[in-house]
Amino acid sequence: MTRIGLSRIVGMAALLCSACTGEGADEPLEPDSVLTYNIYLGADIAEPLRASSMQELAGRIEAAFATFQANDFAQRAEAIADRIAEDQPTFVGLQEVVTVYIQPDGDRRDGGFAPATELVIDFEQVLLAELVERGLDYRVAVRGENSDVEVPSASGEDIRLIDHDMILVRADITVEETHANQYAARLPIPMPDGASTIELIRGFVAAVVTLNGTPTLVVSTHLETSRVEPVQLAQAGELLAWLAGRSEPVILVGDFNSNADPAESTQTYDLIETAGYTDAWELRADSTDPGYTCCHASDLRNTTPQLEERVDFIWLLGSLPSGTPDVHLIGEQEAHRTRSGLWPSNHAGVVMTFAQ
């Protein structure tokens, strides 16, 4: 990765965002109940990819896969579905909705590229089944594919992970139009074999729905981490430039990986705010709650919460209704943990509801 290349990307994004407030800024916004939730893929995959040898990489991946299995998503999905059932939001923006495959006789360590196809788990299917079990009728309005990464494990298997963003909607909501886009700004990670590169890809999904007679654009995204802020900032610039070309008011949700703390706010948060978007958390009646959403330990077994940053947001663009919305966290309380003591995710979710 070269900083020069990323700087050029950031510069292009800044030019694109010189007029990033879309036409929908003056349109009436009729937001219904919305939830954003990074449901956590179950292990840290970025750190193992920085191994200095293929042997080290395989060992790290074996450990990460063990953590993934211990963070049993089938069990966590029950806790996540319970939280959704409590609020029953009209829209649910989800990040890190992964599908995982294995190739029992892996070929990656020997330079092969046959894709793993034996399904381990599909987070989407598991979560939707839990929602149905609770009598909830949600459907996938739009799904976007991001990174598709396959790496060797010391066990001899290859592990393949495909990451998705998606928006769920209640069955009574009509979806008029959908989009699933990948960002051009990406994070390349050279593999220690010296012969291949893994590209970490992120993107956004969008759906146009009608709320109280007003077409509204609902968007969910997951930006790159703050340790590579130039990439994150470039992605935010791409997103805002795309949104600026839309005429609808916007409900923009997701994990932006950008700290909102006024004393330590990062550039992406400031960029979105400057583009005219309103941070829904700032509309709450209680201004004392910091609203931290990130992050629990990677093994999800920390006995006390470790949420120390607010990086998951609901942004609003449009003429806001009168009244104070109910904006609160989910998945952050001790009572929300699974029966075996796992937190539902390493993030808390954020729910917003305007009084009708």
Side-chain angles (χ1 to χ4, degrees):
M1 180 180 70
T2 62
R3 282 284 181 181
I4 294 176
L6 292 176
S7 298
R8 288 175 181 164
I9 291 173
V10 173
M12 292 172 62
L15 288 174
L16 287 170
C17 275
S18 59
C20 270
T21 300
E23 297 176 33
D26 297 324
E27 295 296 317
L29 185 59
E30 300 283 354
D32 216 324
S33 179
V34 59
L35 163 66
T36 183
Y37 210 166
N38 179 332
I39 60 175
Y40 183 44
L41 61 86
D44 181 355
I45 189 173
E47 193 57 37
L49 294 179
R50 296 182 175 88
S52 59
S53 69
M54 292 300 286
Q55 181 177 359
E56 181 185 357
L57 172 65
R60 289 186 178 188
I61 292 300
E62 182 179 38
F65 191 58
T67 299
F68 169 83
Q69 291 174 310
N71 282 334
D72 185 4
F73 184 73
Q75 189 179 136
R76 293 196 292 119
E78 297 177 8
I80 293 168
D82 285 343
R83 305 284 69 77
I84 294 174
E86 280 187 355
D87 286 279
Q88 297 191 29
T90 308
F91 311 103
V92 181
L94 297 174
Q95 304 87 43
E96 295 196 18
V97 186
V98 300
T99 310
V100 177
Y101 300 90
I102 62 168
Q103 183 179 339
D105 297 318
D107 63 357
R108 279 291 189 268
R109 292 184 71 174
D110 298 325
F113 290 95
T117 57
E118 184 175 314
L119 181 66
V120 175
I121 191 169
D122 182 333
F123 280 20
E124 176 188 330
Q125 292 180 1
V126 172
L127 180 57
L128 287 176
E130 291 296 336
L131 295 175
V132 168
E133 189 169 308
R134 287 155 182 76
L136 303 176
D137 196 358
Y138 284 92
R139 60 191 173 92
V140 177
V142 58
R143 175 194 307 102
E145 182 177 312
N146 300 317
S147 297
D148 183 344
V149 174
E150 185 165 339
V151 284
S153 169
S155 64
E157 301 171 323
D158 284 346
I159 313 295
R160 180 186 180 193
L161 179 147
I162 305 177
D163 175 52
H164 305 89
D165 296 321
M166 64 179 54
I167 296 173
L168 306 183
V169 298
R170 281 199 327 242
D172 60 311
I173 297 296
T174 300
V175 177
E176 308 289 347
E177 175 187 339
T178 63
H179 299 270
N181 294 356
Q182 294 179 339
Y183 294 121
R186 302 171 179 184
L187 180 61
I189 300 180
M191 289 293 93
D193 60 5
S196 60
T197 298
I198 285 178
E199 196 171 46
L200 297 186
I201 301 171
R202 299 188 189 265
F204 67 90
V205 290
V208 177
V209 301
T210 300
L211 299 177
N212 298 320
T214 301
T216 301
L217 186 64
V218 181
V219 185
S220 178
T221 192
H222 186 191
L223 302 185
E224 193 50 78
T225 64
S226 58
R227 69 186 295 170
V228 281
E229 191 175 38
V231 177
Q232 179 193 107
L233 189 60
Q235 291 170 349
E238 290 183 49
L239 174 60
L240 290 172
W242 186 87
L243 290 171
R246 303 295 305 191
S247 61
E248 307 90 352
V250 179
I251 302 174
L252 169 61
V253 309
D255 173 4
F256 293 80
N257 274 313
S258 180
N259 193 354
D261 188 325
E264 301 178 12
S265 67
T266 47
Q267 293 183 74
T268 294
Y269 183 90
D270 296 338
L271 181 67
I272 298 171
E273 189 173 47
T274 300
Y277 289 77
T278 298
D279 178 355
W281 191 262
E282 299 297 331
L283 300 176
R284 300 171 71 252
D286 178 10
S287 60
T288 62
D289 187 342
Y292 293 150
T293 62
C294 184
C295 289
H296 291 303
S298 61
D299 67 2
L300 300 179
R301 295 187 182 277
N302 46 291
T303 56
T304 58
Q306 294 183 355
L307 306 178
E308 299 176 341
E309 294 182 308
R310 187 163 73 89
V311 300
D312 301 83
F313 310 122
I314 298 172
W315 291 101
L316 307 173
L317 181 69
S319 178
L320 296 175
S322 60
T324 302
D326 170 25
V327 190
H328 61 270
L329 302 182
I330 63 169
E332 88 290 10
Q333 299 177 26
E334 180 73 25
H336 296 169
R337 298 174 77 168
T338 69
R339 58 185 181 276
S340 67
L342 296 171
W343 293 100
S345 170
N346 65 341
H347 284 243
V350 186
V351 181
M352 178 200 71
T353 306
F354 268 90
Q356 298 297 314

